[in-house]
């Protein structure tokens, strides 16, 4: 009986130590979660970002793709032709159709193969500027000037 009487106080001391360790663990976890909640970062991205496709009028079987990626990189694929470069998209300053957004692209590399139109032209180093007319969130037109009658290409969003 003496053994049981001595064992009970010993178990009580040990159980308090275990309980205290559990409380410290909960407090440490709570402190760590506070640090994690402060690491949220919001990035904005241009509305043109994503994969776009343009059907070629003379060749309905071929689609020219424009992939506007992060870090202002663009990849263009037209049949066997692949081009990579940089782009700068400037949204409309007043969010109206009076002055449409502008897009500047510079081709850095081109594999010099035939494109959907059957042309084979090395466009490395070329820079082009377009005005972008938004028909809706999934359809845009490339235009040579700010006027809508100067639009020459229609692109449809494939992937966001």
């Amino acid at each position: 009986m003496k053994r049981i009487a001595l064992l009970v106080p010993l178990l009580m001391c040990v159980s308090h130590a275990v309980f205290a360790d559990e409380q410290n663990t909960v407090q440490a976890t709570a402190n760590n979660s506070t640090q994690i909640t402060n690491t949220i970062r919001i990035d904005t991205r241009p509305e043109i970002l994503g994969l776009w496709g343009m059907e070629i009028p003379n060749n309905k079987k071929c689609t020219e793709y424009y992939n506007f990626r992060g870090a202002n990189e663009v990849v263009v694929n037209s049949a066997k032709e692949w081009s990579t470069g940089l782009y700068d998209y400037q949204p409309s300053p007043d969010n109206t159709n009076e002055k449409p957004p502008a897009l500047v692209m510079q081709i850095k590399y081109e594999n010099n193969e035939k494109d959907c139109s059957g042309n084979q032209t090395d466009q490395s180093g070329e820079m082009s500027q377009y005005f972008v007319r938004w028909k809706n969130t999934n359809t845009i037109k490339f235009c040579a000037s700010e006027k809508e009658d100067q639009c020459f290409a229609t692109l449809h969003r494939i992937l966001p």
Side-chain angles (χ1 to χ4, degrees), residues 104-133:
V104 178
M105 289 193 305
Q106 182 180 23
I107 301 301
K108 296 287 190 179
Y109 170 78
E110 144 98 48
N111 68 351
N112 202 18
E113 294 288 331
K114 286 189 178 182
D115 62 14
C116 286
S117 301
N119 298 329
Q120 186 175 356
T121 307
D122 187 1
Q123 299 172 2
S124 297
E126 284 188 14
M127 187 175 289
S128 51
Q129 179 177 346
Y130 308 110
F131 291 94
V132 180
R133 289 273 180 191

Side-chain angles (χ1 to χ4, degrees), residues 33-99:
S33 67
T34 302
Q35 293 172 353
I36 291 171
T37 58
N38 291 333
T39 60
I40 295 173
R41 192 177 96 207
I42 298 173
D43 287 331
T44 58
R45 58 186 218 152
E47 58 190 337
I48 200 167
L49 211 69
L51 180 63
W52 298 82
M54 176 180 70
E55 286 186 6
I56 304 302
N58 300 340
N59 186 356
K60 296 283 187 188
K61 295 179 184 177
C62 194
T63 302
E64 190 165 289
Y65 295 99
Y66 291 80
N67 190 356
F68 295 100
R69 305 182 332 182
N72 292 60
E73 295 176 346
V74 63
V75 177
V76 182
N77 171 241
S78 181
K80 291 184 178 184
E81 177 188 55
W82 283 90
S83 305
T84 60
L86 299 173
Y87 74 93
D88 184 31
Y89 178 77
Q90 296 295 320
S92 175
D94 56 4
N95 289 333
T96 66
N97 283 338
E98 289 180 33
K99 184 163 174 87

Side-chain angles (χ1 to χ4, degrees), residues 51-55 138-140 154-159:
L51 180 63
W52 298 82
M54 176 180 70
E55 286 186 6
N138 294 318
T139 306
I140 58 175
T154 302
L155 286 78
H156 300 281
R157 187 182 297 274
I158 297 172
L159 291 173

